[in-house]
Amino acid sequence: MAGLRVGPLLRYVDWETGTSATVWVEADRPCTAEVRCEDGAKGTARTFQIAGHHYALVQITGLTPGTATAYDVLLDGRRVWPLEGSGFPASTIRTPEVPSDGITVSFGSCRWSAAPRGGHDPVGPDALDTLAAKLAADPTAVRPEVLLLLGDQVYADETSTATRAWLAARRDLSEAPGAEVADYEEYTRLYDESWLDPEVRWLLSTVPSCMIFDDHDVIDDWNTSASWLAEMRETAWWQERILSGLMSYWVYQHLGNLSPAELESDKLYAAVQASPDGTDALRRFAAEADADPASVRWSYRRDFGRTRMLMVDSRAGRVLDEQRRSMLDADEARWLREQVLDGRGPGHGSATESGHGSAAGSRHGSVSGPYDHLLIGTSLPWLLPPLIHDAESWNAALCRGERGERWARFGEKLRRGADLEHWAAFPDSFDKLAALIAEAGSGDDAPATVCVLSGDVHHAYVAEPEWPGQAPDTRVLQLTCSPVHNSIPRPILLGFRFGWSRVGRRIGHALARHGRTGRPPVEWGRTGGPWFGNQLMTLTLRGRSARLRLDQAQAVAGAAESARGAGARLVTADERELTAHRDPSHSGG
């Protein structure tokens, strides 16, 4: 009798027709997975096998636009979801009106799994747990129409006490990689721990999600430099770690990012489904992705009515040669430009179906003509506190030899120790993204907003760039939100606060002069934050209007810790309109 191990996760909901969706599940044995909706829509899929685990991505058709319908999950005809006595409302699939007048998007990154029920949580309440508790308690509450999870969904290098005990029962933790995960089976433990959290499990079953990895999904500072990668490849354990990380990401996160049309044309997905055991096929794919990152595209596009979202891989596809460092390889940068400008008027260029690897172009739905809002999801912020930006560009100059070999060795040591590997550490990529955003935001058909959505840096802020000379016609914002559930060490808190200060700016300018970096093509100021805590940002986009809200999870005084999400509440720390243009030049610290 087949049982449900993990899931269900509601992943893709079609915004072009409002009639289809996908639901991901993991079963405990081979079986047929079925989703039956209350309104008669349904779908079935046979499980595929990876490393002894059994998964299915069920495509549901026949949904009605602009409705909400409850659904059940059945394995070999037996209902396994909803769980008996769970206490949560029914999981539903909500489809958009077609055409849609807008979307509500919540986003964040960096989530340690929540502490066990009854256990003390040293980092405070989990923002996703708290959101789930709020929605479960009030079915009429406004809910996000999609969750964007911007990296570090699991921590392969920072395991919980319970997971370390589980690892110790499997192998000797005195041998590398110690209490970090080593193989695919150990990765499955991380997803079990994170996604079987009852509140998060229900939330992910009823709110669609889009995901992208960041470094901790594999290892801290993944692909920080060519010398870092060379050293990792010399270890005995790295090859299994990276292959398992990419394999598990493909299964647990990436597949659900794809539309039914993309799944149908995906050769790897077809091979895995057709084989009694898809492990070897997926392992070959991961090995090729590691050896030749340009052979695979993890980035993808979603169009939510007249809002376009481009989720950009800023980790796996980096070019690490010091003399031509780039956040994106040439084909990836070309793809991003094509997707940004697709549908724009003459002079902006147009997109062609170009792609490679598993995502093969990654175009979901379509927008006819110009879009109203452009969202660029990248796990790493484009605009950092100015001191940190200048420190990273200075460090990049040292590492490529601008000040000689001794400074280059010092620069590499500093880069690793201080995590200097954001967009600013790839100056050419930073400049090209600035130019692309300016082009996207200019002209009669410019969108109302261009928002770069990021996480990683364990605080939240709003920053706005200014271009010298003629500025774009649209409002451009860097919206950064993290963590969802993680610690904020005091040195990080103080460092980021100082990084925004006027004194910090002056120090940054001195570093830039020493590194001979020149000034970046934009200047920017902080117009919101910094905020520290476990938090989520929510964008509400309606027509050409945009509104931002930041909610923080705060413990309720006197609430039992065993209540977990119910023992906390979401408190709105900031709320603002984004579509009235605002000069950020006043904000320096």
Side-chain angles (χ1 to χ4, degrees), residues 392-547:
E392 293 201 3
S393 60
W394 164 73
N395 178 261
L398 298 186
C399 290
R400 69 173 176 263
E402 188 68 32
R403 284 288 185 177
E405 185 176 342
R406 188 175 68 173
W407 277 103
R409 289 195 300 270
F410 167 76
E412 177 63 23
K413 183 177 181 180
L414 180 63
R415 174 160 59 191
R416 297 191 198 183
D419 294 354
L420 304 180
E421 39 98 39
H422 299 80
W423 283 87
F426 298 80
D428 184 59
S429 297
F430 179 94
D431 294 355
K432 287 179 178 177
L433 183 57
L436 179 58
I437 289 172
E439 183 175 358
S442 301
D444 293 339
D445 58 353
T449 65
V450 176
C451 297
V452 181
L453 312 181
S454 306
D456 180 69
V457 291
H458 288 217
H459 73 297
Y461 59 89
V462 179
E464 298 187 53
E466 286 288 310
W467 278 257
Q470 185 173 358
D473 300 294
T474 192
R475 189 170 187 186
V476 179
L477 302 108
Q478 169 72 63
L479 305 177
T480 303
C481 184
S482 87
V484 170
H485 183 240
N486 207 314
S487 64
I488 302 96
R490 186 165 179 78
I492 290 179
L493 186 152
L494 295 175
F496 279 120
R497 284 193 186 279
F498 184 69
W500 287 110
S501 70
R502 290 183 176 85
V503 174
R505 283 177 182 268
R506 289 197 290 270
I507 294 172
H509 291 169
L511 292 175
R513 288 192 296 271
H514 179 262
R516 303 169 182 150
T517 65
R519 298 308 302 154
V522 294
E523 294 290 334
W524 60 96
R526 170 177 52 82
T527 56
W531 298 284
F532 295 89
N534 294 328
Q535 49 204 350
L536 289 167
M537 275 184 174
T538 298
L539 270 175
T540 300
L541 307 172
R542 293 288 180 264
R544 290 181 66 81
S545 72
R547 189 167 185 83

Side-chain angles (χ1 to χ4, degrees), residues 219-231:
I219 193 171
D220 188 26
D221 300 337
W222 176 28
N223 281 344
T224 193
S225 68
S227 63
W228 176 93
L229 182 59
E231 289 179 17

Side-chain angles (χ1 to χ4, degrees), residues 97-133:
E97 295 278 359
V98 178
S100 167
D101 69 344
I103 188 170
T104 299
V105 176
S106 292
F107 64 94
S109 77
C110 306
R111 180 178 180 267
W112 280 343
S113 57
R117 283 186 188 275
H120 173 64
D121 194 334
V123 302
D126 184 319
L128 281 187
D129 270 347
T130 310
L131 174 62

